[in-house]
Amino acid sequence: MKKVYLFILVSLLLMSTNSITHADKPPLTADLIIINANIHTMDAARPAAQALAIIGNRIVAVDSNGEIKKLGGANTRVVDANGQLILPGFNDAHVHFMSGGFQLSSVDLRDANTPQEFAERIRDFAAKLPKGRWITGGDWDHERWPDAKLPTKELIDQYTPNTPVFVNRLDGHMALANSLALKLAGVTRETKDPDGGVIVRDPKTREPTGILKDAAQSFVWKVIPEPSFEEKLAAARAASNHAASLGVTSVQDMSAGADVGIYQTLLNHGELKTRIYAVWPLPSWDHLARTGVRAHFGSPMLRTGGLKGFADGSLGSTTALFFDPYLDAPNTYGIPSGEMFPAGAMLERVHGADRAGLQVIIHAIGDKANDLILSTYEQVERQDGDRDRRFRIEHAQHLRLQDIPRFARDKVIASMQPYHAIDDGRWAEKRIGHERAKTTYAFRSLLDSGATLAFGTDWTVAPLNPMLSICAAVTRRTLDGKNPNGWIPEQKISVEEAVRAYTVGSAYAEFQENEKGTISPGKLADLVILSGDIFKIDPNEIEKVKVVMTIMDGRVVYEARRE
Ligand SMILES: [Zn+2]
């Protein structure tokens, strides 16, 4: 019996030459293979390759065209990359995903270049809305206006008598309310500034101008009706589609909180095209701690376990906390965030969260805010002992020279957004002067000191497109074109380093370096095919490079239309 069986088998093998390879290797047929590619793996074990194979949601082989073709079968999809560059999918370490989704369908004020244009866009948008419906989002930037003066409610009141408006500056640290919104929120001349917030007032009348900074924004946020579940689902879908079109396969959502349920629904519908690390607000750390969840809990698609806090505001809103006063506002050093009150509250929270095994992630912009948070982390580490906790500082924007080595020494991840450097770089020196600016977005110094960098955008504060961020990190050319050789050029880094921070670094920042971040056998099949070789072209051209195809979890989630 056995001999007969063997005979048949050998005959079958001889009939098909292709099957002979199957005789000495276990039968392995790829679902998807990509050939003729310029693969930059970010994996030191094999930095470059021509082709790769995917089975299910995993990369199974990275090799030459010849070797990979052997893994093809009748049902294998073959993608010819035409020599184009393939990178690991980008992992944006800091986004506000839902606001991004809502922004995609809200009024766009980002590139309104004058107060008039700002007001007209709100007028036109309000005209299309049902009466009483709020206008939020916007992402305006008064720093691009001729006199850089803050807008006031009078600018838009005439166009929006029945439409409450609360549109934020692109950094989210202040927003403009119209008179109707202030009325609904009950904000008047008598309302006191809250801790960590400022109601900007007319110097003569003391009347609120409509600008609410940081914690003062919550007066209005409290009265804005929650969008419906369906509206949220639509926003999340829009955000995920947008990410896929830009080669972003993972995001770390700094303001996810209870939106996990939205993402879960999208995932169940098979519509989630982005892996999400859903981070909770640090002040509610005990809610998450009580569930027993530990850092990086969940599936490769949707995870939680991180907590995001705030130490201060932003440079653009003059609320980033510094050791020295602002040059253009000498009466202020910036303000600590509301979470820093009362004294000791932040330390207690970080302690609690850390003991519960959760990951702590804190926003710090000014040099004093960074020092305070580094010291808080050091204190917790001293008391609770060494463990793999991966504390993070978000932005790490302005650092004193002596604080830079503390990141590597304390193993604190610097989660930074290169686009902010070329954006804030237009006017940062008028706020803090040249000397202090030298250690602003100090990518080079941080890397040289041995720190781990994780890159992202802070979308919607900056555009989600990784090409813009990489271009910014490498050139440091400010958006106004005034620094063609780079603003603080000694802090430039290489394309390789920028891509590493955007893939390997950000994977590490969410405890996922064994699952993603490089193109290696066994890792999740997340990758992007680009229209240009960003390692070879003029760095100034990187921002023009487009995504040809995005693969996430082994699926093609975006494909550019061929001309
Ligand atoms: Zn942010």
Side-chain angles (χ1 to χ4, degrees):
M1 273 294 278
K2 250 185 181 171
K3 271 188 184 162
V4 174
Y5 176 74
L6 198 69
F7 173 75
I8 293 171
L9 187 70
V10 169
S11 309
L12 280 171
L13 284 173
L14 289 173
M15 278 159 66
S16 151
T17 48
N18 194 28
S19 304
I20 288 172
T21 55
H22 286 208
D24 47 39
K25 271 188 186 176
L28 200 65
T29 310
D31 295 318
L32 176 66
I33 65 179
I34 305 179
I35 53 168
N36 299 325
N38 165 21
I39 305 174
H40 203 98
T41 66
M42 304 309 292
D43 180 351
R46 179 170 195 145
Q50 267 183 320
L52 60 84
I54 294 168
I55 296 181
N57 68 346
R58 298 273 167 181
I59 297 163
V60 293
V62 181
D63 215 318
S64 63
N65 282 337
E67 288 302 313
I68 293 297
K69 278 181 186 164
K70 289 180 191 164
L71 302 174
N75 297 318
T76 302
R77 176 171 179 186
V78 180
V79 172
D80 185 334
N82 294 313
Q84 284 171 318
L85 178 66
I86 298 188
L87 292 177
F90 292 105
N91 181 341
D92 193 313
H94 187 129
V95 297
H96 301 277
F97 212 51
M98 290 301 292
S99 10
F102 281 113
Q103 186 207 50
L104 289 168
S105 57
S106 181
V107 62
D108 184 6
L109 303 170
R110 179 181 291 273
D111 56 354
N113 284 318
T114 62
Q116 290 70 34
E117 208 179 325
F118 168 90
E120 282 160 16
R121 287 194 193 181
I122 290 174
R123 176 195 67 193
D124 298 346
F125 195 80
K128 286 183 273 173
L129 285 184
K131 201 172 154 183
R133 177 78 64 84
W134 282 76
I135 298 180
T136 58
D139 295 312
W140 49 270
D141 183 10
H142 66 297
E143 294 288 350
R144 48 191 320 145
W145 299 351
D147 58 359
K149 257 202 207 122
L150 286 174
T152 61
K153 58 185 196 287
E154 286 75 22
L155 199 56
I156 52 172
D157 272 348
Q158 51 177 320
Y159 304 131
T160 54
N162 304 310
T163 306
V165 178
F166 195 51
V167 286
N168 57 272
R169 184 172 188 274
L170 47 77
D171 62 11
H173 288 277
M174 58 172 138
L176 176 71
N178 67 351
S179 288
L180 180 56
L182 288 177
K183 191 175 150 207
L184 292 169
V187 175
T188 67
R189 211 183 324 191
E190 277 70 48
T191 312
K192 286 203 190 97
D193 288 359
D195 276 344
V198 173
I199 300 170
V200 177
R201 298 161 203 271
D202 182 296
K204 284 188 198 119
T205 62
R206 307 296 300 149
E207 184 68 32
T209 66
I211 291 286
L212 303 176
K213 293 189 177 184
D214 286 298
Q217 296 179 95
S218 56
F219 288 126
V220 179
W221 281 122
K222 265 182 233 159
V223 299
I224 299 178
E226 267 277 291
S228 70
F229 192 82
E230 284 305 317
E231 285 169 327
K232 285 186 183 174
L233 212 51
R237 192 183 291 119
S240 187
N241 287 338
H242 185 59
S245 76
L246 296 169
V248 176
T249 52
S250 292
V251 296
Q252 302 176 37
D253 184 357
M254 292 296 124
S255 45
D259 294 333
V260 173
I262 309 287
Y263 301 143
Q264 190 184 4
T265 307
L266 214 55
L267 177 62
N268 293 346
H269 291 181
E271 293 178 299
L272 191 60
K273 298 174 181 173
T274 324
R275 302 185 193 281
I276 300 180
Y277 182 38
V279 172
W280 284 63
L282 181 58
S284 60
W285 70 271
D286 50 333
H287 293 256
L288 195 56
R290 253 180 267 143
T291 66
V293 158
R294 297 289 178 269
H296 60 98
F297 166 77
S299 77
M301 283 304 300
L302 182 55
R303 296 160 45 259
T304 189
L307 294 156
K308 157 95 181 293
F310 283 90
D312 64 347
S314 78
L315 190 70
S317 300
T318 325
T319 51
L321 185 64
F322 284 94
F323 283 103
D324 296 310
Y326 284 82
L327 290 186
D328 58 346
N331 57 337
T332 182
Y333 293 78
I335 44 174
S337 91
E339 293 178 22
M340 301 292 277
F341 299 95
M346 183 58 99
L347 177 64
E348 202 177 300
R349 239 177 260 131
V350 175
H351 242 306
D354 183 63
R355 284 191 178 149
L358 297 163
Q359 185 185 22
V360 179
I361 298 169
I362 299 179
H363 160 121
I365 302 259
D367 54 11
K368 187 167 184 185
N370 275 280
D371 168 64
L372 287 172
I373 297 308
L374 285 166
S375 298
T376 304
Y377 286 163
E378 284 158 10
Q379 211 168 327
V380 169
E381 176 122 22
R382 254 199 313 277
Q383 291 180 16
D384 291 355
D386 195 32
R387 76 172 180 91
D388 187 12
R389 42 171 64 87
R390 303 196 195 180
F391 280 145
R392 292 169 53 162
I393 290 188
E394 302 303 302
H395 314 306
Q397 185 164 331
H398 305 280
L399 303 172
R400 291 183 306 183
L401 205 54
Q402 68 262 41
D403 292 329
I404 290 175
R406 294 168 76 187
F407 284 82
R409 193 192 69 201
D410 300 343
K411 289 181 261 164
V412 173
I413 295 157
S415 168
M416 305 174 83
Q417 302 75 33
Y419 193 89
H420 289 350
I422 60 164
D423 191 351
D424 288 13
R426 289 172 294 153
W427 41 263
E429 294 197 23
K430 110 185 154 191
R431 294 265 143 93
I432 58 171
H434 185 64
E435 209 40 47
R436 272 196 274 171
K438 281 186 186 163
T439 45
T440 294
Y441 281 109
F443 307 130
R444 177 81 272 146
S445 303
L446 280 161
L447 278 181
D448 290 348
S449 73
T452 297
L453 287 191
F455 273 175
T457 56
D458 207 359
W459 187 49
T460 60
V461 182
L464 188 63
N465 185 352
M467 292 303 115
L468 302 183
S469 299
I470 291 169
C471 192
V474 173
T475 68
R476 292 182 74 104
R477 281 160 47 119
T478 50
L479 294 176
D480 56 11
K482 288 191 181 148
N483 297 275
N485 298 315
W487 178 58
I488 324 287
E490 58 274 24
Q491 294 295 349
K492 288 183 197 175
I493 57 173
S494 69
V495 176
E496 178 80 24
E497 288 164 327
V499 171
R500 180 164 299 278
Y502 230 124
T503 52
V504 180
S506 40
Y508 180 82
E510 57 158 336
F511 296 89
Q512 290 292 287
E513 71 277 12
N514 295 325
E515 289 287 314
K516 58 193 184 187
T518 66
I519 297 177
S520 322
K523 283 206 171 163
L524 291 166
D526 298 353
L527 44 100
V528 54
I529 307 181
L530 295 172
S531 67
D533 185 346
I534 59 174
F535 299 99
K536 296 227 174 85
I537 60 175
D538 174 354
N540 297 309
E541 302 289 309
I542 292 174
E543 60 184 23
K544 294 183 195 145
V545 170
K546 296 272 181 288
V547 169
V548 175
M549 182 183 279
T550 305
I551 293 173
M552 193 276 316
D553 214 36
R555 291 187 290 147
V556 176
V557 290
Y558 172 79
E559 204 170 349
R561 259 186 245 130
R562 285 176 201 263
E563 268 110 79

